[in-house]
Amino acid sequence: METYELHRGRLIDHVQLVVRDLAASHAFYAAVFQALKVPMGGTNEEYFWADELFVSTASSVAAQGRLTGRVHLAFQAQSRDMVHAFYEAALAHGGQDNGAPGERIYHPGYYAAFVLDPDGNNIEAVFHGDAKRSAPSVKVTF
């Protein structure tokens, strides 16, 4: 039996986006995930995924023929430089500016950038400032 290993946070197990153009979305997300140092998990003709994000076509079984509405997703960045790399990669791969990298008012040290993905979803990369994590991720093995 094959062993699978997943990395998860504590609240969200996964989020699904249903998109019009899977190839355009794949190019966009592959670029921003590379900038954020998050590996792609898998792909086929109907979907791709990375960590908690699952992106599919409307024709996939899980989508039930419907596109998702506009969604806001915030990805964690490990530094301000990574926020900039995310922003530049997103713009170079079909994203549109929705807020250049910079400090935000949400709390001291909140540094983020916002882009719209090819389907108009508001995608953010955020660095919360210097902090110590208890672990890089939650590892689930089954």
Side-chain angles (χ1 to χ4, degrees), residues 50-115:
D51 283 5
E52 295 89 357
L53 181 64
F54 183 82
V55 180
S56 73
T57 63
S59 62
S60 72
V61 175
Q64 300 177 342
R66 296 186 192 109
L67 297 175
T68 48
R70 186 170 178 191
V71 174
H72 171 78
L73 295 176
F75 299 134
Q76 297 178 50
Q78 299 168 11
S79 67
R80 287 179 173 217
D81 288 343
M82 192 175 276
V83 170
H84 283 267
F86 156 87
Y87 182 76
E88 291 166 13
L91 295 182
H93 291 86
Q96 295 180 352
D97 171 56
N98 199 31
E103 292 264 347
R104 300 298 194 262
I105 61 169
Y106 310 125
H107 68 68
Y110 195 109
Y111 193 86
F114 298 83
V115 296

Side-chain angles (χ1 to χ4, degrees), residues 14-63:
H14 67 277
V15 172
Q16 180 179 3
L17 295 179
V18 182
V19 299
R20 284 181 282 256
D21 184 339
L22 191 66
S25 291
H26 186 270
F28 173 86
Y29 285 101
V32 300
F33 291 155
Q34 182 176 12
L36 295 171
K37 298 182 179 171
V38 174
M40 293 296 285
T43 186
N44 76 17
E45 66 278 352
E46 291 188 338
Y47 65 83
F48 63 89
W49 63 274
D51 283 5
E52 295 89 357
L53 181 64
F54 183 82
V55 180
S56 73
T57 63
S59 62
S60 72
V61 175

